[in-house]
Amino acid sequence: MLSFILRRLGTFIPTFIGVSIVSFLFIRLLPGDPILLMAGERGMSAERHAQLMVQFGFDQPLITQYWDYLTGILRGDLGISFKTKRPVWDEFFALFPATLELSLCAIVFAVVLGIPAGIIAAVKRGKWPDQVLMSTALVGYSMPIFWWALLLIILFSGMLGWTPVSGRISLMFFFPSGTGFMLIDSLRSGQAGAFASAVEHLILPTIVLGTIPLAVIARQTRSAMLEVLSEDYVRTAKAKGLGPLRVNGLHALRNALIPVITVIGLSVGTLMAGAILTETIFSWPGVGKWMVEGIGSRDYTAVQGGLLMIALIVMVVNLVVDVLYGLINPKIRR
Amino acid sequence: MPLLDVRNLCVDFRTANGLFRAVDGVDVQVNVGDVLAIVGESGSGKSVSMLALMGLLPWTATINADLLHFDGVDLASANTQQRRSIIGKDVAMIFQEPMSSLNPCFTIGFQLRETMKAHLPLSRRERQSRAIQLLEQVGLPEPERRLKAFPHQLSGGMCQRVMIAMAIACKPKLLIADEPTPALDVTIQAQILELLLDLQKDTGMALVLITHDMGVVAETAQRVSVQYAGQKVEEQGVRDLFANPHHPYTHALLAALPERATSRQLPSIPGVVPGQFDRPKGCLFSPRCTYAKDRCFQEVPVAAPPALGLARCHYPLVDGIAQREVS
């Protein structure tokens, strides 16, 4: 198992270099001069502009700039954000807990609803529960995130007034950020109603961000279960006189989980992409919103650093998924 | 009263081209301690009738029977709860492919103990010691170590032994073995059959052995039921059947045994079992029967009296000679 993990870590290196090149070039492909944007409407003299170009190293050829960037990463230095003048590393990790909290809630929401939905659809194949669940999943999958978010806001916040529209917690509450996770911090603050407020604020973003993974997981669970349900060992489980919950939920599901875990791992990438939209719509102070703002102000270091970190997270999650394969199905273990 | 009493069992499968009748009016009676062999070619419906009894057919199947009694319980009218308390406990089944019949994700011990957990009031420790005892009983060496193994770490023969251990875990009254050996090596085949017969003798359970191998039948069974195209065409004690088959199909099957061959070329039965679209009008075997007369192609035969092995034939054979008429 250890050698398997080490070998997988070995494949990280080329992927990592690839991602660093793409993130580095991507932001520079955008038209616009970061230094002029920094100056704002007042403009800037040509001398000052040239001076700043030298200061940030933009006068160097791209390859030199990339080399500086890459050696910086290896020292754990992602550079200084142009806009805030703070290290990108600190900025990222100050905002990341908000994104992580939302993403975790979304993935839990998607898994907790998606897997049972997929099992029910597979067991009741062709009957009405299957048709209802799968057409709902198709609608959910096809819904553009921003549109879905607006519909939910109109209904639940606007018309029914059940949930707040934006932010992570009501302005009534204030407490120092400890872990960065609002659910945990609000509980620890001991203020009455703080936790409930944090939960309220999470509901809509969680649903919006979790909808596409939910649909994907439900459909994948269904098709994996359908394949497994016709296997001999499922017949054996039934022949033992076991109940449907144990036959479907244990004997069949355990074998069907491999492809399901795979899509869960892959949807972490989707979540990060979705977080950018969701966070913008709900004014969620996470890395997604931060990067959108970074693109607007051509904050090269922030955007390339943020992209790199997100790519790294997706890679680690997929490594964890590979390790899980072996835990779920011992036949795959080497 | 027989332990298992099935009368006029019919199983239909819904297919894209309409209903397909896989089992057509089969009767099965098994008494306590019986060894019954059900033989027939592939597609004769021998597995399907037993799977129907166990409730293991896919949802496309419809089951109808005049009588479906096991140990005094009417399985047809029993609810799922009652059914599940019988299936796996009093009736157990082992299957053709031992390797794929065990769940690859769970250890042998887990799968073995699970059966006991579902049906027997044993503690965790008692289940563990019974599991070890069962593996010893089916002749697996180092049972304690095997309990921790996963199915892919065992050979096919070992897997089948585990399946047998699982089946006899709750001391069933009836064990159904659905072609338990063809997937295994010849030497292992003999060992598994021997094991099944030993267990049958020791525990006094009834054994239904589904097979297409007449050699296996001769070595194991007391009674033989011959199925063809979803119908039972003959049933006799094993000695009588081999000595004096009454249905031409049984006769042809026996003649096809290599040890009975008289010429250099192995005899065979021409043609194949009729499928959904080429079912003959009269006797189902008529297109392949060397004794068939005009009447055989027109009228459906009924079962002959027990003295003639219940042969479903207009002109049953006696000592290899077709009789004129069964009244």
Side-chain angles (χ1 to χ4, degrees):
Chain A
M1 188 52 100
L2 190 68
S3 76
F4 169 71
I5 296 175
L6 286 178
R7 255 182 297 143
R8 277 302 309 263
L9 281 174
T11 65
F12 264 38
I13 296 166
T15 319
F16 187 80
I17 292 176
V19 169
S20 70
I21 294 175
V22 171
S23 61
F24 176 82
L25 287 181
F26 155 74
I27 185 72
R28 282 168 175 76
L29 281 177
L30 289 180
D33 182 334
I35 294 173
L36 277 182
L37 278 169
M38 220 173 2
E41 289 183 5
R42 284 173 303 152
M44 186 182 276
S45 70
E47 285 147 48
R48 178 72 183 138
H49 185 262
Q51 194 187 349
L52 281 174
M53 287 288 276
V54 174
Q55 189 186 327
F56 287 113
F58 292 153
D59 58 333
Q60 303 288 322
L62 269 186
I63 188 82
T64 320
Q65 288 184 42
Y66 174 69
W67 181 251
D68 289 344
Y69 169 54
L70 192 65
T71 48
I73 296 170
L74 295 180
R75 289 193 307 268
D77 176 13
L78 290 175
I80 307 285
S81 162
F82 298 160
K83 207 171 126 202
T84 59
K85 308 286 184 287
R86 289 176 54 211
V88 170
W89 181 271
D90 295 354
E91 292 249 291
F92 185 87
F93 281 103
L95 297 171
F96 185 63
T99 300
L100 188 60
E101 185 173 43
L102 177 57
S103 304
L104 280 179
C105 285
I107 202 80
V108 168
F109 166 76
V111 168
V112 166
L113 291 183
I115 290 184
I119 296 175
I120 292 170
V123 173
K124 301 277 174 200
R125 143 187 224 185
K127 305 203 177 107
W128 70 265
D130 180 24
Q131 284 157 357
V132 168
L133 286 168
M134 285 307 113
S135 22
T136 313
L138 187 63
V139 172
Y141 185 71
S142 325
M143 190 85 87
I145 282 194
F146 68 91
W147 170 245
W148 179 221
L150 293 177
L151 285 182
L152 287 177
I153 289 174
I154 291 172
L155 179 65
F156 289 107
S157 308
M159 290 161 74
L160 297 169
W162 290 354
T163 55
V165 181
S166 66
R168 293 181 78 188
I169 195 159
S170 164
L171 292 174
M172 283 160 57
F173 303 102
F174 181 77
F175 38 83
S177 160
T179 56
F181 295 97
M182 196 54 87
L183 290 177
I184 299 172
D185 288 345
S186 63
L187 263 186
R188 289 210 316 204
S189 75
Q191 294 178 36
F195 181 71
S197 172
V199 172
E200 269 179 5
H201 281 79
L202 256 173
I203 294 173
L204 285 191
T206 297
I207 295 175
V208 168
L209 188 55
T211 298
I212 289 180
L214 166 63
V216 174
I217 290 171
R219 293 183 70 88
Q220 183 65 61
T221 306
R222 177 182 181 270
S223 70
M225 281 292 288
L226 280 181
E227 204 165 297
V228 169
L229 283 176
S230 59
E231 293 282 348
D232 288 348
Y233 49 76
V234 173
R235 186 181 57 187
T236 307
K238 285 183 194 157
K240 286 177 175 179
L242 304 176
L245 205 63
R246 207 171 162 87
V247 172
N248 298 319
L250 189 74
H251 282 267
L253 181 63
R254 181 89 178 249
N255 284 280
L257 266 186
I258 300 267
V260 176
I261 296 274
T262 311
V263 297
I264 293 175
L266 291 176
S267 62
V268 170
T270 321
L271 279 182
M272 291 294 170
I276 294 176
L277 272 173
T278 314
E279 287 177 2
T280 310
I281 295 169
F282 290 97
S283 303
W284 193 265
V287 289
K289 188 158 167 281
W290 171 68
M291 277 173 53
V292 171
E293 286 161 6
I295 293 170
S297 57
R298 304 292 183 276
D299 192 343
Y300 287 2
T301 42
V303 174
Q304 70 196 15
L307 279 179
L308 191 73
M309 294 305 291
I310 287 175
L312 205 59
I313 289 161
V314 172
M315 281 156 69
V316 170
V317 168
N318 282 291
L319 172 70
V320 172
V321 166
D322 281 354
V323 173
L324 279 180
Y325 287 172
L327 291 180
I328 291 167
N329 191 339
K331 223 169 156 177
I332 297 173
R333 226 174 274 164
R334 270 159 286 186
Chain B
M1 191 165 106
L3 179 67
L4 176 68
D5 197 354
V6 177
R7 301 280 169 82
N8 195 21
L9 175 72
C10 295
V11 180
D12 293 298
F13 283 96
R14 245 180 295 159
T15 69
N17 308 305
L19 286 182
F20 171 61
R21 178 151 287 197
V23 177
D24 187 3
V26 166
D27 298 342
V28 187
Q29 272 99 32
V30 182
N31 291 312
V32 178
D34 254 2
V35 182
L36 170 72
I38 302 180
V39 287
E41 284 168 271
S42 308
S44 59
K46 49 198 193 307
S47 300
V48 174
S49 50
M50 288 300 117
L51 289 171
L53 172 74
M54 297 282 288
L56 294 177
L57 289 175
W59 58 279
T60 48
T62 341
I63 302 164
N64 285 300
D66 293 349
L67 202 63
L68 200 62
H69 275 193
F70 174 77
D71 204 14
V73 180
D74 181 12
L75 289 176
S77 68
N79 61 31
T80 40
Q81 203 75 39
Q82 289 169 309
R83 242 173 191 290
R84 274 213 302 276
S85 67
I86 296 171
I87 300 302
K89 182 171 183 288
D90 295 330
V91 196
M93 189 159 178
I94 60 172
F95 304 97
Q96 193 162 8
E97 299 283 342
M99 305 281 260
S100 59
S101 293
L102 289 166
N103 195 322
C105 287
F106 299 101
T107 61
I108 302 302
F110 177 89
Q111 300 186 52
L112 202 48
R113 288 189 300 264
E114 182 185 46
T115 317
M116 293 182 250
K117 200 176 166 190
H119 298 291
L120 301 178
L122 295 178
S123 71
R124 180 184 284 270
R125 185 173 296 178
E126 286 167 330
R127 287 199 293 269
Q128 174 72 8
S129 59
R130 172 119 176 92
I132 294 173
Q133 184 199 332
L134 281 166
L135 288 192
E136 276 167 359
Q137 205 176 345
V138 297
L140 265 188
E142 299 181 83
E144 260 153 289
R145 201 166 66 89
R146 300 289 181 221
L147 284 178
K148 295 197 192 87
F150 286 94
H152 69 274
Q153 292 164 324
L154 304 184
S155 69
M158 285 160 129
C159 283
Q160 196 59 293
R161 282 173 199 271
V162 171
M163 286 296 292
I164 294 171
M166 233 152 68
I168 62 168
C170 304
K171 303 200 168 104
K173 295 172 183 156
L174 171 64
L175 175 63
I176 302 167
D178 183 0
E179 309 214 23
T181 56
L184 308 172
D185 283 347
V186 181
T187 46
I188 309 291
Q189 285 188 15
Q191 290 175 17
I192 294 285
L193 284 175
E194 207 170 310
L195 171 66
L196 282 174
L197 288 177
D198 286 347
L199 288 171
Q200 189 272 329
K201 255 176 238 140
D202 295 346
T203 60
M205 67 184 175
L207 179 64
V208 171
L209 190 67
I210 301 169
T211 180
H212 56 251
D213 186 341
M214 274 293 184
V216 169
V217 173
E219 285 167 36
T220 53
Q222 297 161 0
R223 234 153 26 87
V224 187
S225 157
V226 182
Q227 283 199 20
Y228 182 78
Q231 294 180 335
K232 181 166 87 174
V233 294
E234 177 161 6
E235 181 169 340
Q236 285 206 70
V238 68
R239 278 166 194 280
D240 296 337
L241 184 100
F242 274 81
N244 195 356
H246 295 306
H247 195 285
Y249 177 60
T250 319
H251 187 262
L253 270 185
L254 292 172
L257 284 175
E259 53 269 36
R260 293 200 171 191
T262 45
S263 62
R264 276 180 59 84
Q265 185 153 23
L266 277 178
S268 63
I269 311 175
V272 290
V273 180
Q276 189 178 357
F277 303 109
D278 52 357
R279 264 179 113 77
K281 201 170 144 214
C283 169
L284 292 181
F285 188 56
S286 56
R288 303 170 73 186
C289 182
T290 44
Y291 301 92
K293 302 191 171 73
D294 287 349
R295 187 179 168 206
C296 301
F297 297 105
Q298 301 302 327
E299 280 176 47
V300 178
V302 292
L308 287 171
L310 303 167
R312 214 182 250 266
C313 180
H314 291 303
Y315 309 101
L317 305 176
V318 174
D319 299 325
I321 297 156
Q323 299 302 295
R324 193 147 297 194
E325 201 78 26
V326 191
S327 84

